[in-house]
């Protein structure tokens, strides 16, 4: 099929057909649940891989909220979970020491260069 200058196609080998039987049909098959042991191990490995690259962010908002949040990567702006206002990364201040570890400081209490 052609739409404008774009061409679209469908590979018949990748198309699947299926049939849904009535709930009370004798032809239906019972589907067994996947055992969680194999998937849970893969999920743990994936969670470990993401946690190695996590970034901690200390948020201080003009609404008075002050908390530490975890992010998958370093960001330049974030939303306050208390009021929804945007807080910005203070790159001049850089990382600050907290009880847990070093965190990036984000605020909207004063003007931050972006």
């Amino acid at each position: 099929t052609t739409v404008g200058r774009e061409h679209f196609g469908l590979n018949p080998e990748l198309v699947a057909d299926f049939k849904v039987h009535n709930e009370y049909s004798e032809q239906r098959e019972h589907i067994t649940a996947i055992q969680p042991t194999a998937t849970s191990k893969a999920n743990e490995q994936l969670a470990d891989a993401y946690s190695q690259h996590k970034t901690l962010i200390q948020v201080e908002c003009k609404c008075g909220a002050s908390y530490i949040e975890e992010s998958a990567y370093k960001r330049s702006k974030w939303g306050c979970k208390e009021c929804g206002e945007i807080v910005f990364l203070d790159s001049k201040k850089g990382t600050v020491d907290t009880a847990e570890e070093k965190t990036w400081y984000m605020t909207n209490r004063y003007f931050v260069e972006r």
Side-chain angles (χ1 to χ4, degrees):
T1 303
T2 304
V3 178
R5 292 184 176 183
E6 297 182 21
H7 301 281
F8 298 94
L10 181 64
N11 184 346
E13 294 175 2
L14 300 177
V15 176
D17 71 343
F18 58 92
K19 183 176 181 180
V20 178
H21 296 283
N22 187 319
E23 178 183 352
Y24 302 105
S25 171
E26 294 299 321
Q27 298 174 352
R28 73 175 190 266
E29 294 180 19
H30 295 281
I31 300 173
T32 59
I34 298 172
Q35 297 300 324
T37 57
T39 55
S40 65
K41 187 178 273 189
N43 288 342
E44 288 175 13
Q45 290 174 345
L46 188 59
D48 289 342
Y50 276 114
S51 67
Q52 290 175 359
H53 299 286
K54 72 176 181 176
T55 302
L56 290 178
I57 298 169
Q58 180 176 354
V59 176
E60 289 194 3
C61 183
K62 60 185 173 187
C63 72
S66 180
Y67 58 91
I68 296 175
E69 192 72 33
E70 188 175 301
S71 174
Y73 52 90
K74 181 181 170 186
R75 300 169 180 250
S76 60
K77 62 182 179 178
W78 188 269
C80 175
K81 68 180 179 184
E82 300 289 325
C83 66
E85 289 286 322
I86 297 175
V87 292
F88 297 97
L89 175 68
D90 187 354
S91 55
K92 287 185 179 180
K93 196 167 192 176
T95 58
V96 293
D97 292 325
T98 61
E100 296 177 30
E101 57 184 80
K102 288 188 175 273
T103 61
W104 291 99
Y105 185 74
M106 301 185 95
T107 188
N108 61 3
R109 290 184 177 174
Y110 54 85
F111 179 76
V112 175
E113 283 190 38
R114 295 183 207 153

